[in-house]
Amino acid sequence: MSRPTDYFPYKNGVMTVDGVSLNAIAECTGTPVYIYSARGLLDPLKALQKGLKGLDHLVCFAVKSSSNVAILQLLSSHGAGVDLVSGGELHRAAIAGVPADKVVFSGVGKTPGEMARALDYGGNGIYSFNVESEPELRLLSSVASHMEKTAPVALRFNPDVDPKTHPYISTGLKKNKFGLNRAEILKIAREVSKYPGVSIRGISIHIGSQLLSLSPLQDAFKRVRALLEELEDILPTPLRFVDLGGGIGITYRNEKTIPIPRYCELIHRYFGPKAGLRHPMKILIEPGRSISGNAGILLSEVLYRKQRKEKDFLIVDAAMNDLIRPSLYGSHHEIVAVSRKTGARKKTDVVGPVCETGDCFGSDRPLPRSLDQGDLIAILSAGAYGFAMSGNYNSRPRPPEVLVAGGNFEIIRERETYDDLVRGEVLPDQTCPRPEAAS
Ligand SMILES: *Cc1c(COP(=O)(O)O)cnc(C)c1O
């Protein structure tokens, strides 16, 4: 599993990506800017694909972690499918040219409009709707029937993995909003004829994110296996696939992560040819962070050093609107000087210009004292849930995105302009008086 600096090594004292110095990119684009390494994105994808060899499998990149169409196209051209959670993401998949039979659609709140678009995607519709509730299944069945189509469905199973042994798991618990429990799934299976517009083809799970141990996954896999057995006896047609979700963690600081080969071995053990399934099943996984997380950084320039006795503040030109994870979850991102500095260090808070105390990328970091106005810093491990979660708070245009491959870099999203900020906003039309307000 990759570390934050693997794809951003120092050469002659300057941080680089695929042979390109970050200074050169900043000169061209200005700062702040998101920078992604193509190799950083592809290496984990290839490792997962290699690990799943011998199984009929598909790695579906979780679009919500890093949604730029150029990134989707790159991953898709190397065999990845996509896991979506909205109609907007479906639109991105279409632009990136992701084939319909490699698209799965997750999420608890799909609208009829989103369902219809996904049923039309590429003509014959997407590979699977991962359905999270009975009312959703009913609606999907009716939308598909009206379109004279059959919607392929995987029921999302909430395996209720024991919270005592695995306190950090956030989506695979009874109390979470996600998925259907065993009883609900069995009930649906017994009453499939009530849903004529759908065809139940698989089971999906996704138990949480930034998982650092295999044991919750193993628990979940066991429960999926047991459920599959039960369903075989109930469903009129055999299931064709299992979607095991995403969630593999990455190293942000010094966390020990699950090695991809071990993760894949576990999948083989529970769902592979020797796993004792009644018939072979296709295996899907939905990794997001483990593909995009350490492939990207946020590059920013120091605006000011504010000196205090006990610690200094570095005010940088990136802010919480660009990368919200530290403010939102208190997450750790390594922060480094792009040009290596020697000499004394001092406790430093790295903060942005936004008017919120929470606009802080890191507290009490031992950074070089000589780091000052005009110097570049890199906020690492920002490829997942970075740009994808950015916004315009404080009316700050969002940064550009750059993809580096084969020693070349390309701007894959332009910096937003002030006009972009007010696009769609309207000044009330003075020439067209409104009807008088009722008194
Ligand atoms: C968010 C999400 C993923 C990806 O999670 P990562 O932790 O980024 O791997 C996969 N599947 C579903 C259903 C999700 O909601």
Side-chain angles (χ1 to χ4, degrees):
M1 198 75 257
S2 66
R3 283 169 320 227
T5 50
D6 278 359
Y7 296 99
F8 300 89
Y10 283 93
K11 289 207 178 119
N12 305 320
V14 177
M15 198 171 215
T16 62
V17 49
D18 201 9
V20 182
S21 92
L22 299 193
N23 289 320
I25 296 174
E27 256 166 50
C28 168
T29 63
T31 54
V33 53
Y34 273 96
I35 300 171
Y36 308 95
S37 155
R39 218 159 46 80
L41 290 159
L42 292 176
D43 280 356
L45 171 66
K46 290 176 185 167
L48 288 162
Q49 290 168 331
K50 184 168 169 236
L52 295 178
K53 259 200 190 129
L55 287 170
D56 182 11
H57 71 268
L58 181 63
V59 179
C60 291
F61 176 60
V63 171
K64 74 172 192 279
S65 75
S66 196
S67 331
N68 188 292
V69 292
I71 289 177
L72 303 186
Q73 186 187 53
L74 175 73
L75 294 169
S76 172
S77 70
H78 286 78
V82 290
D83 167 47
L84 315 170
V85 292
S86 73
E89 290 187 354
L90 186 71
H91 185 63
R92 289 178 175 282
I95 291 172
V98 182
D101 61 356
K102 290 186 170 181
V103 176
V104 300
F105 194 164
S106 307
V108 293
K110 301 177 195 80
T111 66
E114 288 175 327
M115 291 171 178
R117 278 172 180 273
L119 283 163
D120 265 340
Y121 186 89
N124 286 327
I126 63 170
Y127 183 77
S128 175
F129 291 85
N130 292 356
V131 168
E132 307 225 10
S133 68
E134 193 274 338
E136 182 192 335
L137 188 66
R138 228 182 307 141
L139 179 63
L140 179 60
S141 174
S142 122
V143 171
S145 297
H146 275 106
M147 295 171 70
E148 293 177 359
K149 296 196 179 217
T150 304
V153 161
L155 298 172
R156 176 155 171 194
F157 174 41
N158 182 330
D160 193 27
V161 176
D162 185 356
K164 286 189 204 100
T165 50
H166 315 294
Y168 300 116
I169 291 161
S170 48
T171 60
L173 291 176
K174 235 191 279 186
K175 64 177 181 193
N176 297 124
K177 69 179 173 184
F178 300 99
L180 296 147
N181 63 34
R182 172 181 163 275
E184 288 165 337
I185 288 182
L186 293 177
K187 182 162 185 286
I188 289 169
R190 286 193 197 97
E191 299 171 349
V192 273
S193 58
K194 275 171 59 179
Y195 313 99
V198 307
S199 154
I200 295 172
R201 308 213 171 143
I203 291 294
S204 73
I205 56 164
H206 173 68
I207 61 169
S209 208
Q210 186 56 13
L211 304 174
L212 294 173
S213 133
L214 274 179
S215 64
L217 283 164
Q218 180 163 4
D219 280 4
F221 289 1
K222 265 187 214 160
R223 289 171 201 213
V224 171
R225 276 292 310 262
L227 179 68
L228 291 177
E229 292 286 327
E230 290 185 275
L231 285 171
E232 293 291 353
D233 297 327
I234 302 171
L235 283 170
T237 48
L239 293 169
R240 304 181 193 180
F241 72 93
V242 191
D243 180 340
L244 297 172
I248 297 301
I250 62 165
T251 300
Y252 282 98
R253 188 179 349 208
N254 47 21
E255 303 91 326
K256 210 165 165 279
T257 54
I258 303 167
I260 287 181
R262 289 205 42 225
Y263 170 64
C264 294
E265 275 162 35
L266 190 74
I267 294 177
H268 278 276
R269 177 144 33 105
Y270 281 88
F271 304 100
K274 290 184 206 148
L277 290 167
R278 283 198 217 171
H279 58 91
M281 296 185 100
K282 181 166 175 155
I283 300 300
L284 275 62
I285 55 171
E286 304 169 340
R289 189 191 314 268
S290 57
I291 287 181
S292 54
N294 275 329
I297 60 156
L298 175 59
L299 191 67
S300 179
E301 186 179 307
V302 177
L303 297 174
Y304 305 103
R305 172 178 285 271
K306 204 167 167 177
Q307 304 205 20
R308 290 272 165 78
K309 210 164 132 202
E310 63 284 13
K311 72 169 155 190
D312 288 0
F313 289 92
L314 274 186
I315 299 156
V316 301
D317 66 358
M320 61 188 284
N321 71 291
D322 304 308
L323 174 66
I324 204 174
R325 297 188 69 257
S327 333
L328 189 63
Y329 313 119
S331 8
H332 180 95
H333 289 263
E334 288 290 327
I335 301 172
V336 297
V338 167
S339 294
R340 237 183 203 146
K341 306 243 176 210
T342 50
R345 294 179 170 249
K346 187 175 180 188
K347 257 201 259 175
T348 308
D349 281 11
V350 180
V351 301
V354 161
C355 306
E356 299 269 351
T357 308
D359 185 20
C360 180
F361 290 117
S363 297
D364 296 334
R365 301 293 178 89
L367 288 170
R369 269 175 198 270
S370 58
L371 194 55
D372 212 332
Q373 218 160 41
D375 287 331
L376 295 177
I377 58 150
I379 304 172
L380 308 183
S381 311
Y385 308 103
F387 188 92
M389 288 179 96
S390 66
N392 292 118
Y393 186 44
N394 275 210
S395 286
R396 292 171 48 85
R398 287 190 291 171
E401 292 178 287
V402 165
L403 180 62
V404 188
N408 293 309
F409 67 92
E410 210 147 354
I411 297 171
I412 56 171
R413 189 183 215 271
E414 290 174 10
R415 184 182 303 285
E416 285 182 346
T417 65
Y418 289 146
D419 278 338
D420 290 333
L421 290 178
V422 292
R423 193 147 72 98
E425 292 182 26
V426 220
L427 292 168
D429 188 346
Q430 303 297 319
T431 63
C432 173
R434 282 148 194 257
E436 252 160 60
S439 52

